[in-house]
Amino acid sequence: MVKRTVLELSNVSRGYGEGDARLSILKGAGLKLYEGETVALVAPSGTGKSTLLHIAGLLEQPSDGDVLIGGRNCNDLSDEGRTAVRRSSIGFVYQFHHLLPEFSAIENIMMPQMIAGLSIPEARKRSKAMLDYMRIGHRGDHRPAELSGGEQQRVAIARAVANAPLLLLADEPTGNLDPETAAYVFSALQALVRQSGLAALIATHNHELAHRMDRCVTLVDGKVVDFEL
């Protein structure tokens, strides 16, 4: 069975500055992610990891090359069009959870669904189901400050996939957690990817977690290359 290509970066380049002062970060980088797979992005700081994630997430435009999400070339979209694709097709998880502190866990997950047009009762029902799936359904009415680090990250993951995106981009999602909690949170994330069929690109320095993913890529001289740990 041929799997759908969720993300395709084709000959992507990105540089900053002009003339002799120009700094080239990505140089003809290419990458494909397929539905249901988790890919680890393992690379030293300063090699372009964040730039690659920002371009894949349509937060930044490449200097050259193409970015396709679900087969759709997003290069020529307006700012409003890029925002619409991010809202409907891309989820983001960061090292810090970025949950809204004045809202409960379930309300944080409801919010992107309501922005997308879902009714309050339906958004609450779906959010409760996601919290139950992440095994923190009993913590739904708690605010972020009342949750442990692992619970906060599980809420952040649930929020990121609340609108059933095609692509999940995660930047050190377990970086602030102790090893045992990190392993648990990653297992929940990986199970979610498998069940939903989305594709996940996860930047991490944790080689143990990277080894558990379907494959690993790194950045060498501005290009994406596969490698084995």
Side-chain angles (χ1 to χ4, degrees):
M1 180 179 175
V2 178
K3 290 190 174 183
R4 180 185 184 186
T5 303
V6 171
L7 169 68
E8 182 176 358
L9 304 180
S10 177
N11 201 34
V12 165
S13 296
R14 185 67 171 105
Y16 303 93
E18 300 292 338
D20 294 339
R22 184 171 177 78
L23 176 64
S24 294
I25 304 297
L26 300 177
K27 306 171 186 176
L31 175 67
K32 285 187 178 182
L33 261 68
Y34 302 95
E35 59 182 347
E37 76 166 347
T38 54
V39 177
L41 173 58
V42 184
S45 299
T47 56
K49 233 180 354 179
S50 294
T51 298
L52 186 73
L53 287 173
H54 288 168
I55 288 174
L58 306 184
L59 296 170
E60 192 172 332
Q61 287 189 296
S63 305
D64 292 295
D66 297 311
V67 180
L68 287 81
I69 307 291
R72 180 184 185 182
N73 196 321
C74 299
N75 278 19
D76 296 327
L77 293 177
S78 64
D79 288 343
E80 292 80 7
R82 293 164 69 86
T83 298
V85 173
R86 283 197 301 271
R87 184 181 298 139
S88 65
S89 301
I90 306 173
F92 299 90
V93 181
Y94 300 97
Q95 184 171 349
F96 185 71
H97 57 76
H98 294 294
L99 299 173
L100 298 174
E102 65 271 30
F103 295 98
S104 67
I106 196 166
E107 288 168 343
N108 266 277
I109 302 170
M110 289 171 63
M111 207 157 299
Q113 299 175 68
M114 292 164 61
I115 291 171
L118 214 62
S119 68
I120 291 176
E122 185 62 25
R124 182 173 293 277
K125 178 181 177 182
R126 287 180 55 181
S127 299
K128 178 63 169 65
M130 296 186 73
L131 285 171
D132 288 341
Y133 181 83
M134 301 297 282
R135 299 183 182 179
I136 49 172
H138 61 295
R139 305 288 274 166
D141 292 329
H142 291 72
R143 293 186 179 184
E146 300 171 313
L147 304 175
S148 69
E151 289 170 339
Q152 290 169 346
Q153 253 338 42
R154 278 181 276 169
V155 174
I157 291 168
R159 181 183 60 181
V161 300
N163 285 332
L166 299 174
L167 174 66
L168 180 67
L169 300 172
D171 192 359
E172 298 287 351
T174 61
N176 282 332
L177 306 176
D178 64 82
E180 183 177 351
T181 304
Y184 184 86
V185 169
F186 177 76
S187 293
L189 173 59
Q190 196 169 42
L192 196 59
V193 170
R194 295 280 189 271
Q195 185 182 57
S196 64
L198 61 83
L201 179 62
I202 303 172
T204 182
H205 285 104
N206 188 324
H207 283 200
E208 183 178 342
L209 294 185
H211 189 71
R212 293 170 57 185
M213 299 190 214
D214 296 308
R215 56 191 173 99
C216 298
V217 298
T218 189
L219 286 162
V220 178
D221 294 330
K223 295 184 184 295
V224 179
V225 298
D226 291 293
F227 83 107
E228 295 185 8
L229 290 172

